[in-house]
mmCIF file of all heavy atoms in Angstrom:
data_model
loop_
_atom_site.group_PDB
_atom_site.id
_atom_site.type_symbol
_atom_site.label_atom_id
_atom_site.label_comp_id
_atom_site.label_asym_id
_atom_site.label_seq_id
_atom_site.Cartn_x
_atom_site.Cartn_y
_atom_site.Cartn_z
ATOM 1 N N GLU A 15 -5.625 3.574 2.282
ATOM 2 C CA GLU A 15 -4.213 3.752 2.011
ATOM 3 C C GLU A 15 -3.800 5.195 2.222
ATOM 4 O O GLU A 15 -4.609 6.117 2.066
ATOM 5 C CB GLU A 15 -3.895 3.344 0.571
ATOM 6 C CG GLU A 15 -4.229 1.899 0.262
ATOM 7 C CD GLU A 15 -4.279 1.633 -1.216
ATOM 8 O OE1 GLU A 15 -4.830 2.472 -1.959
ATOM 9 O OE2 GLU A 15 -3.763 0.570 -1.638
ATOM 10 N N SER A 16 -2.529 5.377 2.539
ATOM 11 C CA SER A 16 -1.968 6.710 2.660
ATOM 12 C C SER A 16 -0.472 6.634 2.405
ATOM 13 O O SER A 16 0.119 5.557 2.404
ATOM 14 C CB SER A 16 -2.245 7.319 4.036
ATOM 15 O OG SER A 16 -1.631 6.562 5.060
ATOM 16 N N GLY A 17 0.143 7.785 2.205
ATOM 17 C CA GLY A 17 1.583 7.867 2.066
ATOM 18 C C GLY A 17 2.089 8.114 0.668
ATOM 19 O O GLY A 17 3.294 8.334 0.485
ATOM 20 N N GLY A 18 1.211 8.079 -0.316
ATOM 21 C CA GLY A 18 1.639 8.357 -1.674
ATOM 22 C C GLY A 18 1.993 9.814 -1.856
ATOM 23 O O GLY A 18 1.672 10.671 -1.031
ATOM 24 N N GLY A 19 2.661 10.098 -2.943
ATOM 25 C CA GLY A 19 3.059 11.459 -3.240
ATOM 26 C C GLY A 19 4.121 11.495 -4.304
ATOM 27 O O GLY A 19 4.335 10.530 -5.033
ATOM 28 N N SER A 20 4.793 12.623 -4.376
ATOM 29 C CA SER A 20 5.832 12.851 -5.371
ATOM 30 C C SER A 20 7.187 12.923 -4.689
ATOM 31 O O SER A 20 7.333 13.553 -3.632
ATOM 32 C CB SER A 20 5.553 14.144 -6.134
ATOM 33 O OG SER A 20 6.539 14.374 -7.119
ATOM 34 N N VAL A 21 8.175 12.283 -5.292
ATOM 35 C CA VAL A 21 9.512 12.245 -4.718
ATOM 36 C C VAL A 21 10.539 12.211 -5.842
ATOM 37 O O VAL A 21 10.251 11.740 -6.949
ATOM 38 C CB VAL A 21 9.669 11.019 -3.788
ATOM 39 C CG1 VAL A 21 9.592 9.723 -4.586
ATOM 40 C CG2 VAL A 21 10.952 11.096 -2.985
ATOM 41 N N GLN A 22 11.720 12.719 -5.561
ATOM 42 C CA GLN A 22 12.815 12.660 -6.518
ATOM 43 C C GLN A 22 13.415 11.263 -6.569
ATOM 44 O O GLN A 22 13.382 10.515 -5.585
ATOM 45 C CB GLN A 22 13.909 13.658 -6.140
ATOM 46 C CG GLN A 22 13.533 15.117 -6.308
ATOM 47 C CD GLN A 22 13.829 15.620 -7.699
ATOM 48 O OE1 GLN A 22 13.346 15.079 -8.692
ATOM 49 N NE2 GLN A 22 14.623 16.666 -7.788
ATOM 50 N N ALA A 23 13.960 10.906 -7.715
ATOM 51 C CA ALA A 23 14.653 9.631 -7.836
ATOM 52 C C ALA A 23 15.730 9.513 -6.769
ATOM 53 O O ALA A 23 16.460 10.467 -6.493
ATOM 54 C CB ALA A 23 15.265 9.488 -9.225
ATOM 55 N N GLY A 24 15.817 8.335 -6.180
ATOM 56 C CA GLY A 24 16.739 8.103 -5.085
ATOM 57 C C GLY A 24 16.141 8.342 -3.722
ATOM 58 O O GLY A 24 16.746 7.957 -2.706
ATOM 59 N N GLY A 25 14.975 8.938 -3.674
ATOM 60 C CA GLY A 25 14.316 9.221 -2.415
ATOM 61 C C GLY A 25 13.508 8.052 -1.904
ATOM 62 O O GLY A 25 13.534 6.955 -2.472
ATOM 63 N N SER A 26 12.767 8.307 -0.827
ATOM 64 C CA SER A 26 12.012 7.261 -0.154
ATOM 65 C C SER A 26 10.592 7.709 0.140
ATOM 66 O O SER A 26 10.319 8.898 0.319
ATOM 67 C CB SER A 26 12.686 6.874 1.168
ATOM 68 O OG SER A 26 13.986 6.360 0.965
ATOM 69 N N LEU A 27 9.696 6.744 0.196
ATOM 70 C CA LEU A 27 8.329 6.940 0.642
ATOM 71 C C LEU A 27 7.908 5.723 1.438
ATOM 72 O O LEU A 27 8.418 4.621 1.217
ATOM 73 C CB LEU A 27 7.364 7.125 -0.529
ATOM 74 C CG LEU A 27 7.355 8.456 -1.273
ATOM 75 C CD1 LEU A 27 6.439 8.349 -2.490
ATOM 76 C CD2 LEU A 27 6.891 9.582 -0.365
ATOM 77 N N ARG A 28 6.968 5.932 2.341
ATOM 78 C CA ARG A 28 6.398 4.837 3.097
ATOM 79 C C ARG A 28 4.886 4.849 2.938
ATOM 80 O O ARG A 28 4.225 5.806 3.341
ATOM 81 C CB ARG A 28 6.756 4.930 4.577
ATOM 82 C CG ARG A 28 6.415 3.662 5.368
ATOM 83 C CD ARG A 28 6.570 3.888 6.852
ATOM 84 N NE ARG A 28 6.603 2.634 7.595
ATOM 85 C CZ ARG A 28 6.347 2.525 8.896
ATOM 86 N NH1 ARG A 28 6.047 3.607 9.606
ATOM 87 N NH2 ARG A 28 6.407 1.341 9.483
ATOM 88 N N LEU A 29 4.352 3.799 2.357
ATOM 89 C CA LEU A 29 2.926 3.645 2.198
ATOM 90 C C LEU A 29 2.358 2.854 3.366
ATOM 91 O O LEU A 29 3.021 1.967 3.910
ATOM 92 C CB LEU A 29 2.585 2.915 0.900
ATOM 93 C CG LEU A 29 3.182 3.472 -0.392
ATOM 94 C CD1 LEU A 29 2.692 2.649 -1.581
ATOM 95 C CD2 LEU A 29 2.830 4.942 -0.562
ATOM 96 N N SER A 30 1.140 3.164 3.737
ATOM 97 C CA SER A 30 0.456 2.401 4.760
ATOM 98 C C SER A 30 -0.960 2.092 4.312
ATOM 99 O O SER A 30 -1.542 2.810 3.507
ATOM 100 C CB SER A 30 0.445 3.134 6.104
ATOM 101 O OG SER A 30 -0.291 4.341 6.019
ATOM 102 N N CYS A 31 -1.496 1.022 4.842
ATOM 103 C CA CYS A 31 -2.849 0.591 4.512
ATOM 104 C C CYS A 31 -3.446 -0.059 5.745
ATOM 105 O O CYS A 31 -2.875 -1.017 6.275
ATOM 106 C CB CYS A 31 -2.821 -0.389 3.344
ATOM 107 S SG CYS A 31 -4.399 -1.203 2.997
ATOM 108 N N THR A 32 -4.581 0.447 6.176
ATOM 109 C CA THR A 32 -5.247 -0.062 7.357
ATOM 110 C C THR A 32 -6.596 -0.662 6.990
ATOM 111 O O THR A 32 -7.395 -0.026 6.298
ATOM 112 C CB THR A 32 -5.442 1.052 8.397
ATOM 113 O OG1 THR A 32 -4.170 1.553 8.805
ATOM 114 C CG2 THR A 32 -6.164 0.514 9.627
ATOM 115 N N ALA A 33 -6.831 -1.867 7.449
ATOM 116 C CA ALA A 33 -8.093 -2.553 7.216
ATOM 117 C C ALA A 33 -9.019 -2.365 8.408
ATOM 118 O O ALA A 33 -8.584 -2.419 9.562
ATOM 119 C CB ALA A 33 -7.857 -4.038 6.972
ATOM 120 N N SER A 34 -10.290 -2.152 8.123
ATOM 121 C CA SER A 34 -11.278 -2.016 9.178
ATOM 122 C C SER A 34 -12.577 -2.674 8.746
ATOM 123 O O SER A 34 -12.793 -2.930 7.567
ATOM 124 C CB SER A 34 -11.513 -0.541 9.531
ATOM 125 O OG SER A 34 -12.021 0.170 8.413
ATOM 126 N N GLY A 35 -13.442 -2.912 9.709
ATOM 127 C CA GLY A 35 -14.718 -3.532 9.429
ATOM 128 C C GLY A 35 -14.883 -4.825 10.203
ATOM 129 O O GLY A 35 -14.270 -5.024 11.248
ATOM 130 N N ASN A 36 -15.719 -5.693 9.670
ATOM 131 C CA ASN A 36 -16.044 -6.951 10.327
ATOM 132 C C ASN A 36 -14.970 -7.990 10.023
ATOM 133 O O ASN A 36 -15.187 -8.933 9.258
ATOM 134 C CB ASN A 36 -17.420 -7.440 9.876
ATOM 135 C CG ASN A 36 -17.869 -8.672 10.629
ATOM 136 O OD1 ASN A 36 -17.446 -8.909 11.759
ATOM 137 N ND2 ASN A 36 -18.732 -9.457 10.007
ATOM 138 N N ILE A 37 -13.808 -7.815 10.635
ATOM 139 C CA ILE A 37 -12.641 -8.640 10.345
ATOM 140 C C ILE A 37 -12.482 -9.704 11.421
ATOM 141 O O ILE A 37 -12.289 -9.381 12.590
ATOM 142 C CB ILE A 37 -11.366 -7.792 10.250
ATOM 143 C CG1 ILE A 37 -11.495 -6.771 9.122
ATOM 144 C CG2 ILE A 37 -10.149 -8.687 10.035
ATOM 145 C CD1 ILE A 37 -10.373 -5.757 9.090
ATOM 146 N N ALA A 38 -12.548 -10.944 11.001
ATOM 147 C CA ALA A 38 -12.255 -12.054 11.900
ATOM 148 C C ALA A 38 -10.769 -12.388 11.898
ATOM 149 O O ALA A 38 -10.195 -12.695 12.946
ATOM 150 C CB ALA A 38 -13.067 -13.282 11.524
ATOM 151 N N SER A 39 -10.146 -12.331 10.730
ATOM 152 C CA SER A 39 -8.722 -12.594 10.609
ATOM 153 C C SER A 39 -8.229 -12.070 9.276
ATOM 154 O O SER A 39 -9.004 -11.860 8.345
ATOM 155 C CB SER A 39 -8.411 -14.091 10.741
ATOM 156 O OG SER A 39 -9.010 -14.822 9.692
ATOM 157 N N ILE A 40 -6.923 -11.863 9.189
ATOM 158 C CA ILE A 40 -6.267 -11.449 7.957
ATOM 159 C C ILE A 40 -5.125 -12.410 7.686
ATOM 160 O O ILE A 40 -4.280 -12.636 8.554
ATOM 161 C CB ILE A 40 -5.735 -10.008 8.040
ATOM 162 C CG1 ILE A 40 -6.870 -9.029 8.332
ATOM 163 C CG2 ILE A 40 -5.026 -9.632 6.743
ATOM 164 C CD1 ILE A 40 -6.414 -7.595 8.498
ATOM 165 N N ASN A 41 -5.102 -12.952 6.489
ATOM 166 C CA ASN A 41 -4.007 -13.830 6.113
ATOM 167 C C ASN A 41 -2.925 -12.998 5.418
ATOM 168 O O ASN A 41 -2.133 -12.339 6.073
ATOM 169 C CB ASN A 41 -4.501 -14.969 5.227
ATOM 170 C CG ASN A 41 -3.418 -15.997 4.968
ATOM 171 O OD1 ASN A 41 -2.420 -16.064 5.692
ATOM 172 N ND2 ASN A 41 -3.602 -16.813 3.940
ATOM 173 N N THR A 42 -2.910 -13.009 4.106
ATOM 174 C CA THR A 42 -1.898 -12.281 3.360
ATOM 175 C C THR A 42 -2.306 -10.828 3.158
ATOM 176 O O THR A 42 -3.452 -10.538 2.835
ATOM 177 C CB THR A 42 -1.650 -12.942 1.999
ATOM 178 O OG1 THR A 42 -1.206 -14.288 2.197
ATOM 179 C CG2 THR A 42 -0.594 -12.185 1.204
ATOM 180 N N MET A 43 -1.360 -9.925 3.350
ATOM 181 C CA MET A 43 -1.508 -8.543 2.941
ATOM 182 C C MET A 43 -0.444 -8.265 1.891
ATOM 183 O O MET A 43 0.669 -8.793 1.973
ATOM 184 C CB MET A 43 -1.382 -7.583 4.121
ATOM 185 C CG MET A 43 -2.415 -7.831 5.209
ATOM 186 S SD MET A 43 -2.511 -6.518 6.468
ATOM 187 C CE MET A 43 -3.489 -5.283 5.576
ATOM 188 N N ALA A 44 -0.804 -7.455 0.909
ATOM 189 C CA ALA A 44 0.071 -7.293 -0.234
ATOM 190 C C ALA A 44 -0.093 -5.919 -0.853
ATOM 191 O O ALA A 44 -1.064 -5.201 -0.591
ATOM 192 C CB ALA A 44 -0.212 -8.373 -1.285
ATOM 193 N N TRP A 45 0.876 -5.568 -1.683
ATOM 194 C CA TRP A 45 0.842 -4.349 -2.468
ATOM 195 C C TRP A 45 0.958 -4.701 -3.943
ATOM 196 O O TRP A 45 1.793 -5.533 -4.329
ATOM 197 C CB TRP A 45 1.971 -3.389 -2.085
ATOM 198 C CG TRP A 45 1.805 -2.786 -0.731
ATOM 199 C CD1 TRP A 45 2.336 -3.228 0.435
ATOM 200 C CD2 TRP A 45 1.062 -1.609 -0.422
ATOM 201 N NE1 TRP A 45 1.972 -2.406 1.468
ATOM 202 C CE2 TRP A 45 1.182 -1.399 0.970
ATOM 203 C CE3 TRP A 45 0.306 -0.713 -1.172
ATOM 204 C CZ2 TRP A 45 0.574 -0.328 1.621
ATOM 205 C CZ3 TRP A 45 -0.308 0.354 -0.525
ATOM 206 C CH2 TRP A 45 -0.168 0.538 0.852
ATOM 207 N N TYR A 46 0.122 -4.058 -4.740
ATOM 208 C CA TYR A 46 0.177 -4.133 -6.181
ATOM 209 C C TYR A 46 0.376 -2.731 -6.737
ATOM 210 O O TYR A 46 0.169 -1.738 -6.030
ATOM 211 C CB TYR A 46 -1.111 -4.727 -6.758
ATOM 212 C CG TYR A 46 -1.319 -6.193 -6.471
ATOM 213 C CD1 TYR A 46 -1.687 -6.639 -5.212
ATOM 214 C CD2 TYR A 46 -1.160 -7.144 -7.484
ATOM 215 C CE1 TYR A 46 -1.889 -7.982 -4.949
ATOM 216 C CE2 TYR A 46 -1.364 -8.492 -7.230
ATOM 217 C CZ TYR A 46 -1.729 -8.903 -5.962
ATOM 218 O OH TYR A 46 -1.931 -10.245 -5.719
ATOM 219 N N ARG A 47 0.758 -2.648 -7.986
ATOM 220 C CA ARG A 47 0.851 -1.349 -8.616
ATOM 221 C C ARG A 47 0.476 -1.452 -10.082
ATOM 222 O O ARG A 47 0.582 -2.510 -10.694
ATOM 223 C CB ARG A 47 2.251 -0.738 -8.473
ATOM 224 C CG ARG A 47 3.348 -1.449 -9.257
ATOM 225 C CD ARG A 47 4.704 -0.844 -8.931
ATOM 226 N NE ARG A 47 5.777 -1.472 -9.678
ATOM 227 C CZ ARG A 47 7.069 -1.234 -9.487
ATOM 228 N NH1 ARG A 47 7.451 -0.362 -8.560
ATOM 229 N NH2 ARG A 47 7.984 -1.854 -10.225
ATOM 230 N N GLN A 48 0.037 -0.330 -10.621
ATOM 231 C CA GLN A 48 -0.315 -0.254 -12.024
ATOM 232 C C GLN A 48 0.201 1.060 -12.584
ATOM 233 O O GLN A 48 -0.235 2.137 -12.168
ATOM 234 C CB GLN A 48 -1.825 -0.365 -12.229
ATOM 235 C CG GLN A 48 -2.228 -0.457 -13.683
ATOM 236 C CD GLN A 48 -3.668 -0.883 -13.862
ATOM 237 O OE1 GLN A 48 -4.482 -0.771 -12.947
ATOM 238 N NE2 GLN A 48 -3.989 -1.391 -15.037
ATOM 239 N N ALA A 49 1.134 0.963 -13.502
ATOM 240 C CA ALA A 49 1.677 2.128 -14.177
ATOM 241 C C ALA A 49 0.803 2.466 -15.373
ATOM 242 O O ALA A 49 0.081 1.605 -15.895
ATOM 243 C CB ALA A 49 3.109 1.866 -14.616
ATOM 244 N N PRO A 50 0.848 3.707 -15.835
ATOM 245 C CA PRO A 50 0.034 4.091 -16.989
ATOM 246 C C PRO A 50 0.296 3.201 -18.195
ATOM 247 O O PRO A 50 1.447 2.982 -18.579
ATOM 248 C CB PRO A 50 0.470 5.530 -17.262
ATOM 249 C CG PRO A 50 0.962 6.033 -15.943
ATOM 250 C CD PRO A 50 1.612 4.848 -15.297
ATOM 251 N N GLY A 51 -0.772 2.672 -18.779
ATOM 252 C CA GLY A 51 -0.662 1.847 -19.959
ATOM 253 C C GLY A 51 -0.162 0.443 -19.718
ATOM 254 O O GLY A 51 0.078 -0.284 -20.684
#
């Protein structure tokens, strides 16, 4: 993953995630998040 960082409210960020390895196919790709606590 890449693209994380700090931004002001109202701003924008773009995250990216690249898969590599012995990949035959990819079905669903998704994003999760976990806030403190």
Side-chain angles (χ1 to χ4, degrees):
E15 300 164 318
S16 63
S20 181
V21 66
Q22 291 272 57
S26 298
L27 285 173
R28 191 190 195 200
L29 307 182
S30 64
C31 171
T32 298
S34 62
N36 186 26
I37 299 171
S39 63
I40 301 177
N41 187 18
T42 300
M43 301 191 79
W45 291 95
Y46 291 74
R47 69 186 181 187
Q48 187 167 20

